[in-house]
Each structure stands twice: as structure tokens, then as C-alpha cells.
């Protein structure tokens, strides 16, 4: 689609994951002129899952296929999808200015749905094994490792919650923490140490990912020694990073850097909405992102 340098829309959605696409479906079906800007690929974090089994209506679907179905539905109701990275979001007299490298969009309302990124270990082959043994979401992918040996990396509350969740599914769960110190509460760490199928490895780092086409094991550094660990799944739980550098507005964030929204998904700035993983909430799933998106899209109705 060839847009000129300055474009107008009723609503601009930033981010094409499940939250953004759902917001687009709801806003478009209400007759609004909506542009969605995605920097890379539609589907967000969900598109990394090779099998999604907890999205109602689909017993088993890949993240890629689910995102594609959402895209088809959104485009069918008139959503305009553009692939461009947003470099600045600012406020204007009539609403907002959303700047990409080549185009500046002016919109009466904006929905931020850019998700957040799971922190990576930064190891060789990490990308290659993602979805083939490496996961960044235990509650999304844990079920695919029934009766197998898995490991969780991290020492915060997410890692502990992941271990807790995986003990009910996997045969054995290793928790790998790079120091003796856990960021998670002491009580929580003590609790999971009591599980028979948990082994906690402290002062331990993952040095190498092993396997042919699927992840089969890890080479670890335990203190000054080396150890090989045979596992089928590695859950990386070393934190997430909300990335809101492009927002040049005084947004209210929680202490972890996620956007605080009201019940209509409106942020602390009027007519600026946010939905999905970038918002402050507890349960980050595709279905909850879609629900957020529906509310944000619906809240934009009446903008004309
Ligand atoms: P987090 O608290 O920031 O912990 C990240 C963990 O990963 C730390 O143990 C850190 O180790 C480790 N780590 C970071 N980079 C690493 C690397 N490159 N290699 C190996 N280990 C690495 O992250 P989180 O657990 O996702 O929690 C985020 C926030 O949400 C926290 O404040 C947490 O309390 C909160 N949260 C709350 C709940 C709850 O209330 N139920 C649940 C989940 C999360 P170091 O300590 O050595 O840096």
C-alpha cells in the first residue's frame, strides 16, 4: 500500500500480536479507519510457539497459523497493516502523531499493543532451538514436555512459578540459577526444593546448547567445573523487557515498567490505550491479550 508522507487514521495500533490484531478487528467492525503498524512479523511472542493448545476453538495450532488466521480476519474487516517500526509517539492538538522512518500518521486515538520481549540468554543456537526445545513461557509450552526432563533458568519469581508449574507435568525439573542468591522469596525457594522431582543448581550457568534438530541437552558451568545435562526442554525465565523508548509521553508505569491502564484499557493519557503483554497485569496469555485488545478496540468506538 503506498501511503504518502502524512497519513490520517481514526486509530493507529502499534504492534501486530494477538492484542493488536484483536483491537483492529473490533475497531474496524465499528466502521473506523484503522492502521496497524508492525515492525517485524505478525503474531508477537505467540508466533514463537510451535503448538498452542490453550486457545479456545483450536485443539492444536501453531502460533504462526493462529496469527495468520487473525490477520485474515482483521484484513477482511478492513484493517490496514503496515510493516514499519514506530520511532516516536507524541501528542498533538487533535490527538497523536505516530512516526515511522518514512511516514507520519496522525490519529485521534492510539492503541499501544507492542508486547514485551523475553530476555534471551544470548547463547549460540538459542534462536534455532526456540520452539524446538527452548521456550520462554512455561504455561504456554510446558504441556509439550509431559514425562520428560526439563530445566528452568532464572532465580526470580517467574522461574520459581515455572518450576512449580512444570513439576506437575515433567518427570524432572532442574532449576539453574547463576548465583547462590535468589531474587524470589526465600520461602518460595524452600518450598520448591522440597519437591521430589526438583533439583536446584546454584552458581551454575548454561554454556552451550546441545542437540541435532531438537534440543537434547546443556553444557553447564557449575562453579569451575563442567557438567552435561540431558534434557528435552529449557525454559528461560530471566525476565522480560518492556520496550517503550518510542513513547515520548509521560505515561504512568508500574514498578516493572509496564503500562498502567484502566478498565477500558485507557492509559494515564486520554485517548491513548494499551493492551496485551505491555500492560501491568498478572496473567499473560494469548487469550488474555485478545480480551484486552477487544476492550481497547471497543473503547475507540465513537472517535469519528
Ligand atoms: P527477575 O525478578 O528480574 O529475575 C530475573 C532472574 O534471572 C534473576 O535471578 C537473574 O539473576 C536472572 N538472570 C537475568 N539475566 C540472566 C542471564 N543472562 N543468565 C542467567 N540468569 C539471568 O525476573 P522475573 O522472575 O521475570 O520477575 C520480574 C518481576 O515480576 C519481579 O519483580 C517479580 O517479583 C515479579 N513477579 C511476580 C510474581 C508474583 O508476584 N506472583 C510472579 C512473577 C514475577 P541475578 O539475580 O543474578 O541478576
Amino acid at each position: 500500500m503506498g501511503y504518502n508522507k502524512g497519513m490520517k487514521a481514526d486509530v493507529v495500533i502499534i504492534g501486530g500480536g494477538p492484542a493488536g490484531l484483536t483491537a483492529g478487528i473490533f475497531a474496524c467492525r465499528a466502521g473506523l479507519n484503522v492502521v496497524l503498524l508492525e515492525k517485524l512479523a505478525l503474531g508477537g511472542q505467540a508466533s514463537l510457539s510451535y503448538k498452542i493448545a490453550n486457545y479456545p476453538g483450536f485443539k492444536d495450532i501453531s502460533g504462526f497459523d493462529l496469527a495468520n488466521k487473525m490477520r485474515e480476519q482483521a484484513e477482511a474487516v478492513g484493517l490496514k497493516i503496515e510493516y514499519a517500526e514506530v520511532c516516536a509517539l507524541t501528542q498533538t492538538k487533535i490527538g497523536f502523531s505516530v512516526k515511522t522512518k518514512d511516514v507520519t500518521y496522525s490519529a485521534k486515538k492510539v492503541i499501544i499493543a507492542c508486547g514485551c520481549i523475553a530476555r534471551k540468554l544470548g547463547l549460540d543456537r538459542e534462536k534455532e532451538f526456540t520452539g524446538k526445545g527452548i521456550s520462554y513461557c512455561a504455561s504456554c509450552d510446558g504441556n509439550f514436555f509431559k514425562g520428560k526432563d526439563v530445566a528452568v533458568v532464572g532465580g526470580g519469581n517467574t522461574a520459581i512459578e515455572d518450576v512449580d508449574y512444570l513439576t506437575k507435568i515433567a518427570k524432572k525439573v532442574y532449576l539453574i540459577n547463576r548465583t547462590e542468591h535468589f531474587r524470589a522469596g526465600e520461602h518460595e525457594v524452600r518450598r520448591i526444593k522440597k519437591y521430589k522431582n526438583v533439583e536446584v543448581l546454584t552458581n551454575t550457568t548454561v554454556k552451550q546448547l546441545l542437540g541435532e534438530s531438537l534440543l537434547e541437552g546443556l553444557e553447564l558451568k557449575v562453579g569451575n567445573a563442567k557438567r552435561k545435562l540431558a534434557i528435552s526442554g529449557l525454559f528461560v525465565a530471566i525476565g522480560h523487557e518492556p520496550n517503550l523508548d518510542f513513547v515520548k509521553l509521560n505515561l504512568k508505569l508500574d514498578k516493572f515498567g509496564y503500562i498502567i491502564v484502566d478498565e477500558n484499557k485507557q492509559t494515564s493519557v486520554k485517548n491513548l490505550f494499551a493492551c496485551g503483554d505491555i500492560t501491568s497485569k498478572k496473567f499473560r496469555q494469548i487469550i488474555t491479550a485478545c480480551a484486552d485488545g477487544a476492550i481497547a478496540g471497543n473503547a475507540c468506538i465513537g472517535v469519528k
Side-chain angles (χ1 to χ4, degrees):
M1 276 271 228
Y3 286 109
N4 297 323
K5 209 167 161 42
M7 284 298 304
K8 276 188 182 162
D10 294 325
V11 181
V12 166
I13 299 170
I14 303 170
L21 287 167
T22 309
I25 291 168
F26 275 74
C28 285
R29 292 193 76 234
L32 300 177
N33 172 22
V34 188
V35 177
L36 182 149
L37 302 171
E38 166 57 50
K39 73 170 173 185
L40 212 61
L42 294 174
Q45 284 290 111
S47 64
L48 299 176
S49 285
Y50 63 101
K51 238 178 168 189
I52 291 162
N54 60 2
Y55 188 83
F58 299 94
K59 217 167 107 193
D60 171 353
I61 188 166
S62 74
F64 179 83
D65 288 344
L66 183 60
N68 215 25
K69 283 181 186 295
M70 289 181 187
R71 176 193 58 77
E72 275 172 14
Q73 188 178 357
E75 284 184 333
V77 293
L79 182 66
K80 299 175 198 88
I81 298 173
E82 299 293 334
Y83 292 89
E85 182 167 2
V86 173
C87 43
L89 168 63
T90 51
Q91 219 163 0
T92 63
K93 271 186 197 147
I94 59 143
F96 301 92
S97 159
V98 185
K99 231 181 199 171
T100 68
K101 191 168 147 266
D102 298 320
V103 183
T104 298
Y105 298 85
S106 69
K108 294 170 195 158
K109 298 195 179 182
V110 167
I111 300 174
I112 302 174
C114 59
C116 53
I117 305 155
R119 212 173 274 146
K120 309 289 183 298
L121 287 165
L123 292 169
D124 279 352
R125 304 184 72 197
E126 186 169 355
K127 202 171 171 193
E128 179 193 331
F129 284 128
T130 298
K132 293 175 179 167
I134 294 186
S135 167
Y136 299 87
C137 174
S139 61
C140 314
D141 298 327
N143 228 28
F144 304 122
F145 297 90
K146 256 188 196 146
K148 306 218 165 124
D149 289 352
V150 300
V152 174
V153 189
N157 281 315
T158 304
I160 299 295
E161 278 189 2
D162 285 0
V163 169
D164 216 348
Y165 182 80
L166 291 165
T167 50
K168 287 148 193 103
I169 299 164
K171 188 165 139 222
K172 175 145 189 178
V173 185
Y174 296 93
L175 175 61
I176 301 170
N177 189 28
R178 64 180 173 185
T179 61
E180 288 284 349
H181 168 78
F182 286 86
R183 286 201 202 192
E186 232 175 83
H187 169 76
E188 292 302 302
V189 179
R190 243 184 284 129
R191 188 173 57 77
I192 61 132
K193 275 183 176 168
K194 284 187 188 149
Y195 289 128
K196 280 199 178 101
N197 62 341
V198 171
E199 185 175 334
V200 178
L201 307 172
T202 53
N203 280 327
T204 303
T205 48
V206 181
K207 282 291 164 204
Q208 224 182 311
L209 303 166
L210 311 170
E212 294 284 325
S213 56
L214 296 175
L215 183 73
E216 291 164 21
L218 308 173
E219 187 182 297
L220 304 177
K221 187 166 173 267
V222 189
N224 289 323
K226 272 186 186 174
R227 174 176 174 185
K228 274 197 182 155
L229 202 63
I231 46 126
S232 311
L234 177 67
F235 292 87
V236 181
I238 59 171
H240 279 80
E241 288 167 346
N243 181 7
L244 291 169
D245 291 351
F246 65 88
V247 181
K248 313 294 177 201
L249 296 162
N250 198 14
L251 269 191
K252 210 169 164 190
L253 307 176
D254 70 12
K255 61 180 175 173
F256 308 120
Y258 295 95
I259 304 173
I260 294 172
V261 289
D262 67 13
E263 62 181 347
N264 290 316
K265 306 297 166 196
Q266 185 163 245
T267 69
S268 53
V269 176
K270 196 168 176 238
N271 290 331
L272 178 60
F273 298 82
C275 54
D277 285 5
I278 193 70
T279 60
S280 179
K281 61 179 189 171
K282 259 198 136 173
F283 196 46
R284 292 186 168 85
Q285 293 284 301
I286 301 172
I287 187 71
T288 60
C290 290
D292 288 355
I295 295 166
N298 186 59
C300 290
I301 297 170
V303 69
K304 270 188 164 172

